[in-house]
Every structure is written in structure tokens, then in C-alpha cells.
Amino acid sequence: MVTPRQHAEPTTAGPLGRSGDPGEHPLLPLARRVARQLAAPATVGSSFIAGSVTAGLGNHTSDIDVYLVGTELAPARRQLVLDRSRFDVQELSVADLDAAVGRVAGAAFPGDGSTVVAQRDLDLAVRLWSGEVITDDGALAPLRDRLRAAPLPLRRALITHWLTAVHYELEDVAGLVANGDPDAGLMAARTALLLAGKAVAAACGDFYTGRKWVWHQLRRAAPSGFPYEGFRYLLRYDPLADGTGAGGGSGTPAGGLSSIAGFTQGCLSAVATLGWHGIPLEHWLCWPGVSDRSGVSDRSGVSDRSGVSDRPGVSDRSEPGSTAPVGSQQVPGLLRRAPGFSPRAHSGGVVLALPALRRVRLNPDVALVWALCDGAPPSTVTGRAQKLREAHPAYAGLTPDRCAVIIERLVAARLVEAL
């Protein structure tokens, strides 16, 4: 059983050598010398290096980001090449860096689809977090301490960024497949899965934003139960290889993408619930497998266009949920999250979206029960919820009776399928 004191800590591990073993990257000594020389002018008060190398992810072709910070510096950017290594040198004022950190640390997450943190602010915060300070006149340490003393806002900003990016890719998948363009749909589905991997990494405290390093980030940061080989397999998998799109068993492009879509939804479910609250994903009990039962089928769509309301629990306007007393209706069979929905967490709960069709706002406890429905029977879903009751105050009320009511309403709202 997880307690609130067991929340995940972001990774601050040192860089890895080319072999992947702990150790200093060969480019770091040169990067430090370059940064010190560039920071010599009196107008530069502080400097730090950042990028894939300082995050423990780079190789011998990686460039190095050098940030020069000064009170009077104006934004500027240039590139240098030294000893066959490329340096991306950026200048910015203390005020600009302070403002960016402030916007990240003070971000609100309203759940209305608005941009929470600008990409530039997010990148700066992550680079300051994971970078190496070379010189400091007193400006950098307080800003980095501010981020590291309360990492949850940065974690949530990154999770929001990745979940939103996945949502847009899934919208593209739905439109492309419906329009008879399965090849482009497959590309978008793979991108959505890759971004879901980035969301998992962020939820595990590995904040680096470069997409191409997602495999290495998951290998070093994801929990032991994460299906890493399944993730790798599905990013290479071609359900359209036989020309029929029958990889998912339905004989349609949508069916062929079902395994990829189902795996993506499974990752997002963990991130939007436990990950959002800073709970270690080691405690997630239902990582997706590579199987047709977890995916999207050609019956995943629904015909209503639903809105979002602020009513408690399952708050889809068109499906308010059952108000029957506990035990009045037995939910049969196995419970599976309705295919096609992607979750996005916010300060008040989780919004489930089915591209172009539905948006449903769930309270945090309802969202957790939804997320735990991975093809398990009601008793298993309820047992999983019991194990997580102490993980966060939002889940404390998940008694067996409360779970029964939630399951009943999720099925009635067509957010969970009873198989």
C-alpha cells in the first residue's frame, strides 16, 4: 500500500557515458571550458550548460546548449563549432529567466484546453533543472532551488504538455482513418505512442523534453512493471503491412491500429491519475499488454456530441450516470475502458476526450476507477482501488460501495465496457 510520503522524486542522476554506464560524458570537460570562456565578459554574471549530454542522454554527435545569463543581456542566440562539437549559445537576462521559472512554478491547470505553460518557459525550466551550473553570481541557485524544492508544478506542466500533444495526434488518427488515409493515420498513432512514453517518463521524474531519447528515458526511469519491450515493439509494428489493415483483427484500418491505441491509452491512464499527483508509478497495477483486447475497435465511436459540466463524478451532460442505490444493478463480466478516449488531467480532475465526439469531466476518484478498468472483473478493479486509497486524499473515499457506484455509472455512461 502506498502512502503520501512515498511520492516520486524527479531524477537528478548524473550523466551516462557512451556505453550507458554511470560516468562522465566525454564532451562535458570541453563544454565546461567553453562555457567559462564565454562567461568571462563582465556583462555575463552566470552560465550553465544543458541539453541531452548533461541530462545523461547524449552521444558524441550531440550539441551542447550554453546559457549565458546577465542583468543587462538581451536575448540572443548563436552557434559555435569547436573540436568538431557544436555549441548552441543563448543569452538571456536574469529577469527573463526569473519570469520563466515563475510562470512554471506558479502555473494553474484549469482543464479548459488552454495552454498552461509556453514551450519556451518549459524548455528553460527543464534545462535549468537538469543542466550544470558553471558560473553563478547568485542569480541561478535561487531559481533552481525554487524548481527543485517544489517539483510538482514542473512535473504537471510537462504531463499537461505531453497529454495534450497525444490528444492532438489521436484527433489526427481519427480524422485520417475516417478519411481513408491509413498510412498517415499509422504515423500519427505511432507519434501518439511515442509521446505517451514521454508522458510516462515525465511522471517518473525524467523531465528531459527531447523526443528521440524516450527509449533511454523509459529504460532508466520507468518502473519495473512497465512493458518496455511492448512499447518498443509497437513503435515498429506495421498493422497495415498486409494491405488490409487487419492487424487488430477487424479487417479495417481502425482495427489494425487497435493495439497501438490501446497501449497508448493504458500509459496515459497511469500518468493522468497517479503520475499527476506525484505518486510513484511503481504502484500502478495494470500496465497495458500488447493484445487486441486493450485496443480500439471499429465500434469505438459514439454518435452523440457531448459537453462538459462541473457536476460531481461522471459529468458528461448527455450521460449523467445512474442514480440507483448501491447493489441495485449487477455489472456483469470484465470491465474495459471504452476504446478511443484519451485522458488529460487538470487541477479538478480528469477530462476524457473522444476525438470530435465527446468530452467528459471526471472527478479524481472516478478517473482512477476508470483507469483501472483494463479488462479485469469488478472485484479486481475494486481491490486495486482499495490499495491506492491512501496514496492521495482524492482517493481516500474509494470504499467498496463507492467503487460499485462509480463502476455502474461509468458503464451507463459508456465510458467503460462490460464484456
Side-chain angles (χ1 to χ4, degrees):
M1 184 172 291
V2 59
T3 69
R5 293 187 298 276
Q6 294 173 296
H7 285 189
E9 292 297 326
T11 179
T12 55
L16 305 179
R18 292 177 186 170
S19 66
D21 296 327
E24 182 169 273
H25 194 285
L27 288 178
L28 281 174
L30 175 62
R32 294 183 187 115
R33 290 197 301 271
V34 170
R36 288 193 185 96
Q37 292 176 6
L38 293 173
T43 54
V44 180
S46 304
S47 63
F48 65 97
I49 56 176
S52 59
V53 169
T54 61
L57 298 164
N59 55 47
H60 68 285
T61 67
S62 298
D63 64 342
I64 304 289
D65 297 317
V66 179
Y67 286 87
L68 306 177
V69 184
T71 304
E72 304 298 329
L73 285 180
R77 185 170 185 171
R78 65 187 188 274
Q79 290 196 343
L80 303 173
V81 176
L82 181 64
D83 194 21
R84 293 182 293 182
S85 296
R86 184 162 51 92
F87 295 85
D88 189 6
V89 183
Q90 301 187 50
E91 300 179 7
L92 67 159
S93 69
V94 175
D96 283 346
L97 184 58
D98 179 79
V101 170
R103 286 189 289 267
V104 171
F109 303 91
D112 59 3
S114 59
T115 299
V116 175
V117 178
Q119 182 69 51
R120 178 180 180 274
D121 292 343
L122 201 55
D123 287 341
L124 273 175
V126 170
R127 281 165 168 74
L128 180 60
W129 172 283
S130 62
E132 179 181 333
V133 174
I134 303 301
T135 59
D136 189 7
D137 64 358
L140 297 184
L143 295 178
R144 185 144 78 162
D145 289 346
R146 183 179 180 186
L147 288 172
R148 290 187 171 181
L152 193 57
L154 177 55
R155 182 197 305 270
R156 286 180 169 175
L158 285 164
I159 287 174
T160 298
H161 170 76
W162 295 123
L163 295 189
T164 300
V166 172
H167 170 74
Y168 291 143
E169 292 294 335
L170 293 177
E171 282 189 335
D172 285 345
V173 172
L176 290 165
V177 171
N179 201 42
D181 195 350
D183 293 311
L186 175 58
M187 179 186 71
R190 284 174 171 162
T191 302
L193 176 57
L194 183 146
L195 298 176
K198 292 294 294 184
V200 171
C204 294
D206 200 323
F207 292 164
Y208 188 72
T209 56
R211 296 183 181 187
K212 64 178 175 287
W213 300 108
V214 63
W215 292 272
H216 300 281
Q217 290 177 279
L218 290 174
R219 190 167 55 193
R220 73 182 185 181
S224 58
F226 180 77
Y228 177 75
E229 292 303 325
F231 176 81
R232 294 180 66 224
Y233 169 78
L234 286 176
L235 279 173
R236 301 180 177 124
Y237 169 58
D238 185 3
L240 310 177
D242 62 0
T244 68
S250 70
T252 67
L257 300 178
S258 63
S259 293
I260 299 174
F263 196 102
T264 299
Q265 186 193 65
C267 291
L268 300 184
S269 299
V271 172
T273 52
L274 268 59
W276 179 259
H277 293 298
I279 302 166
L281 295 192
E282 287 286 355
H283 300 285
W284 189 244
L285 302 170
C286 46
W287 288 108
V290 183
S291 64
D292 293 341
R293 71 172 180 82
S294 65
V296 175
S297 70
D298 54 3
R299 58 189 174 88
S300 63
V302 293
S303 60
D304 63 317
R305 179 179 292 273
S306 305
V308 176
S309 76
D310 292 321
R311 291 184 302 200
V314 181
S315 52
D316 175 14
R317 285 197 191 114
S318 66
E319 297 287 354
S322 171
T323 56
V326 177
S328 64
Q329 177 181 347
Q330 181 67 33
V331 177
L334 306 177
L335 302 174
R336 183 182 70 174
R337 296 179 300 268
F341 283 93
S342 63
R344 284 186 286 175
H346 59 88
S347 57
V350 172
V351 171
L352 300 183
L354 187 64
L357 293 172
R358 296 182 71 184
R359 281 171 54 88
V360 187
R361 189 184 298 269
L362 304 183
N363 284 351
D365 60 339
V366 179
L368 179 64
V369 174
W370 174 84
L372 294 173
C373 293
D374 69 332
S379 59
T380 299
V381 172
T382 299
R384 291 168 173 172
Q386 301 309 293
K387 292 180 180 179
L388 294 169
R389 285 182 63 187
E390 295 183 19
H392 191 273
Y395 304 146
L398 283 174
T399 63
D401 283 352
R402 171 67 173 158
C403 289
V405 170
I406 290 173
I407 289 171
E408 185 176 318
R409 293 181 178 178
L410 287 171
V411 172
R414 289 175 292 157
L415 299 174
V416 165
E417 297 178 341
L419 305 177

